[in-house]
């Protein structure tokens, strides 16, 4: 059985940290940077791009058969 969950939050970094503490791993980060959607996937960490003011639209985290998507509430279009 696959569990898929979307979490809408303006606190993407904090929510990612919370899910990591529960054993989830980041598999994908997509953000808008300089007008283009760009991947900031692992092995990149928040310290690598926090200062760039990226507007994240989705972060995917997985744990076994569970998948969680962290999504911001802002529109990027």
């Amino acid at each position: 059985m696959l569990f898929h969950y979307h979490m809408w939050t303006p606190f993407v970094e904090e929510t990612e940290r919370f899910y990591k503490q529960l054993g989830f791993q980041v598999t994908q980060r997509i953000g808008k940077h300089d007008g283009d959607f760009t991947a900031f996937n692992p092995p990149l960490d928040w310290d690598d791009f926090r200062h760039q003011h990226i507007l994240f639209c989705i972060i995917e985290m997985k744990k076994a058969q569970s998948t969680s998507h962290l999504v911001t509430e802002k529109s990027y279009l």
Side-chain angles (χ1 to χ4, degrees):
M1 172 183 238
L2 175 66
F3 175 75
H4 186 92
Y5 177 71
H6 286 257
M7 170 73 173
W8 293 87
T9 178
F11 306 104
V12 179
E13 182 178 0
E14 295 85 348
T15 307
E16 178 184 307
R17 188 178 314 115
F18 172 79
Y19 274 88
K20 278 184 171 180
Q21 291 173 349
L22 295 177
F24 283 77
Q25 294 181 333
V26 176
T27 56
Q28 183 180 46
R29 288 189 198 98
I30 303 293
K32 193 168 188 181
H33 183 251
D34 291 335
D36 294 319
F37 287 100
T38 305
F40 296 90
N41 301 332
L44 293 177
D45 199 317
W46 283 89
D47 290 335
D48 298 320
F49 50 77
R50 181 183 295 114
H51 64 281
Q52 296 179 25
H53 306 291
I54 299 159
L55 299 174
F56 282 94
C57 62
I58 192 166
I59 295 178
E60 181 177 272
M61 303 186 76
K62 292 187 177 184
K63 179 180 178 182
Q65 292 294 314
S66 297
T67 302
S68 179
H69 289 104
L70 311 178
V71 186
T72 64
E73 295 177 337
K74 296 180 182 178
S75 173
Y76 302 107
L77 301 177

